[in-house]
Amino acid sequence: MLYYFAYGSNMLHERLQRRVPSAVPMGIAILDGYRLVFHKKSVDGSAKCDLVLDDASKAYGVLFEMKEEELPFLDRAEGVGFGYERVERQLHYRTKEIFAFLYLAQPEHINATFLPYDWYLKFVLYGARQNDLPAEYVQHIASTPSRSDDNAERTQKNRDILRAASIEI
């Protein structure tokens, strides 16, 4: 089994389990020295989550346990080598330190002028709420500007996932 630290849209259980059926949420984990931002440019023309070094900050997310044989599915969904790289970091989980993998944006795929689509921001926001991340952190996510997605088919597909998670849109 592998440990995966989700800090973006994959925090929403229903989203991640469509990609990695074996994923089981274990609880909140913290990565010291990193800050959540929305600046990873996606092939769909929007911004996705990333973590940047910031000694004064900490990033919250959800620790999942998953089967190792499903790692290629998640790597593909996250665009390893085409926007993100998979890295391992030491996290605080409950009362111990644990190593887990996560995805960070490759420098050539960063553009701070991009905004996330509204449906993507809802994945991140409702994933944070679903897992009881700290209220101040959830508020930071909720205050992130977003934009509408002009692709009706993609929008509908993602709204269906949100509805399956019993999220009003």
Side-chain angles (χ1 to χ4, degrees), residues 18 21 38 50 52 58 62 83 89 94 99 127 139 145 152 154:
R18 283 177 179 246
F38 290 78
D50 188 26
V52 295
K58 58 176 100 175
V62 182
R89 296 290 184 269
R94 297 187 179 166
F99 282 92
Q139 182 53 42
R154 182 174 52 226

Side-chain angles (χ1 to χ4, degrees), residues 58-108:
K58 58 176 100 175
Y60 289 85
V62 182
L63 186 65
F64 286 88
E65 189 174 57
M66 60 176 272
K67 291 181 180 176
E68 189 169 352
E69 58 264 23
E70 291 181 343
L71 184 58
F73 304 135
L74 190 55
D75 281 352
R76 192 173 320 113
E78 293 301 311
V80 169
F82 302 97
Y84 282 114
E85 62 182 328
R86 180 172 20 98
V87 299
E88 188 174 67
R89 296 290 184 269
Q90 185 174 345
L91 313 167
H92 300 287
Y93 172 66
R94 297 187 179 166
T95 60
K96 58 187 172 184
E97 303 296 310
I98 190 166
F99 282 92
F101 76 90
L102 59 128
Y103 298 94
L104 296 176
Q106 296 172 301
E108 62 273 18

Side-chain angles (χ1 to χ4, degrees), residues 122-135:
K122 286 182 182 187
F123 280 128
V124 180
L125 178 60
Y126 288 100
R129 288 179 179 163
Q130 182 182 57
N131 292 285
D132 296 320
L133 269 56

Side-chain angles (χ1 to χ4, degrees), residues 31-51:
L31 180 58
D32 285 331
Y34 284 84
R35 178 174 42 89
L36 177 68
V37 294
F38 290 78
H39 72 183
K40 189 260 177 198
K41 62 181 178 179
S42 176
V43 296
D44 68 10
S46 71
K48 304 296 189 233
C49 288
D50 188 26
L51 298 177

Side-chain angles (χ1 to χ4, degrees), residues 1 19-20 30 47 62 68 107 113 117 135 149 152 154 156 162:
M1 295 299 263
R19 296 172 165 184
V20 183
I30 302 167
V62 182
E68 189 169 352
T113 65
Y117 288 135
D149 184 353
R154 182 174 52 226
Q156 187 60 50
L162 289 164

